[in-house]
Amino acid sequence: GAGVSQSPSNKVTEKGKDVELRCDPISGHTALYWYRQSLGQGLEFLIYFQGNSAPDKSGLPSDRFSAERTGGSVSTLTIQRTQQEDSAVYLCASSPGLAEAYEQFFGPGTRLTVL
Amino acid sequence: KNQVEQSPQSLIILEGKNCTLQCNYTVSPFSNLRWYKQDTGRGPVSLTIMTFSENTKSNGRYTATLDADTKQSSLHITASQLSDSASYICVVSDEGSQGNLIFGKGTKLSVKP
């Protein structure tokens, strides 16, 4: 596609439910990144993929968070048993490769609200 | 510790006026510095990117400067427009660590008519 797309754009869920956020990177980009932006805070790096591999998961806030990428393209970020503090905008970005991490193009984000 | 500090936290200016946003960083070794504009409810969009050897880069009414010796960057907006209202985020990349970007918390700019 022309840019990074994310879905849904907005998600409201009840505390304790699981949610799945989707990211479609720019076609041909092998590196993909997930960030979280809480109200009034800067961007918080969560995890990156090179191809289908995520070598460092230490940025994920808790074991309720997981991410996967299949086919070197679409990625999903799953949050299990959501908590109110999970409410934030979740941003996805992609770059041609990890060596071009500075060339990240961002998607519009998914606004998650946990009631 | 690698950090990126931006100032001011927020800024209100009148349409047509100029303004300058600041970014100080302690990232080392330094690779490049990028300014992003983030409209409310949207993802960040890149404005400029500068490497160690560059000390100024323009993109329309936006001009970024970089002083790698003092580890400071500024983003100057000329003849501001209402559409410039957004958050401006400074992002610094270090060498070597792939995917290691250090984000500032941004400056929220409001341009009033």
Side-chain angles (χ1 to χ4, degrees):
Chain A
V4 178
S5 60
Q6 292 185 245
S7 61
S9 56
N10 278 286
K11 177 72 177 179
V12 180
T13 190
E14 292 179 349
K15 178 181 172 181
K17 300 285 188 184
D18 297 351
V19 295
E20 230 178 52
L21 312 181
R22 176 187 168 108
C23 172
D24 265 289
I26 292 173
S27 178
H29 280 194
T30 62
L32 184 148
Y33 315 80
W34 281 99
Y35 298 87
R36 178 168 72 173
Q37 189 172 38
S38 302
L39 188 64
Q41 299 297 312
L43 282 164
E44 175 189 3
F45 173 75
L46 298 179
I47 192 170
Y48 77 88
F49 287 87
Q50 173 58 26
N52 294 332
S53 173
D56 181 3
K57 300 180 181 178
S58 63
L60 295 175
S62 76
D63 58 9
R64 297 184 293 103
F65 286 71
S66 63
E68 65 174 18
R69 189 181 186 195
T70 55
S73 180
V74 172
S75 175
T76 54
L77 177 69
T78 301
I79 309 173
Q80 295 178 309
R81 306 180 302 282
T82 52
Q83 302 296 311
Q84 288 183 331
E85 61 262 28
D86 298 334
S87 296
V89 175
Y90 290 82
L91 288 161
C92 173
S94 71
S95 66
L98 275 185
E100 294 82 29
Y102 58 86
E103 269 308 325
Q104 291 185 36
F105 296 86
F106 283 83
T110 292
R111 180 174 296 278
L112 174 66
T113 303
V114 181
L115 302 177
Chain B
K1 179 182 176 183
N2 285 337
Q3 284 187 316
V4 175
E5 301 284 344
Q6 290 188 245
S7 62
Q9 191 172 32
S10 63
L11 181 63
I12 301 174
I13 62 173
L14 292 176
E15 186 179 11
K17 297 295 186 183
N18 303 335
C19 67
T20 300
L21 314 180
Q22 300 291 341
C23 173
N24 296 341
Y25 61 92
T26 59
V27 177
S28 182
F30 170 87
S31 176
N32 59 75
L33 184 147
R34 186 182 284 259
W35 282 93
Y36 282 93
K37 177 187 178 187
Q38 185 176 20
D39 292 311
T40 301
R42 294 178 175 254
V45 174
S46 177
L47 294 175
T48 65
I49 180 171
M50 289 181 291
T51 59
F52 182 87
S53 59
E54 298 174 293
N55 54 27
T56 188
K57 185 75 71 81
S58 290
N59 179 358
R61 294 179 297 102
Y62 301 102
T63 300
T65 64
L66 173 65
D67 185 333
D69 291 331
T70 62
K71 298 187 177 181
Q72 295 180 326
S73 177
S74 65
L75 180 69
H76 186 75
I77 304 175
T78 304
S80 61
Q81 300 176 358
L82 298 179
S83 59
D84 292 332
S85 295
S87 288
Y88 291 84
I89 303 170
C90 176
V91 184
V92 180
S93 175
D94 65 8
E95 285 182 352
S97 298
Q98 294 170 331
N100 192 21
L101 301 180
I102 299 93
F103 288 81
K105 290 190 176 182
T107 292
K108 187 173 176 62
L109 174 66
S110 297
V111 181
K112 303 294 187 184

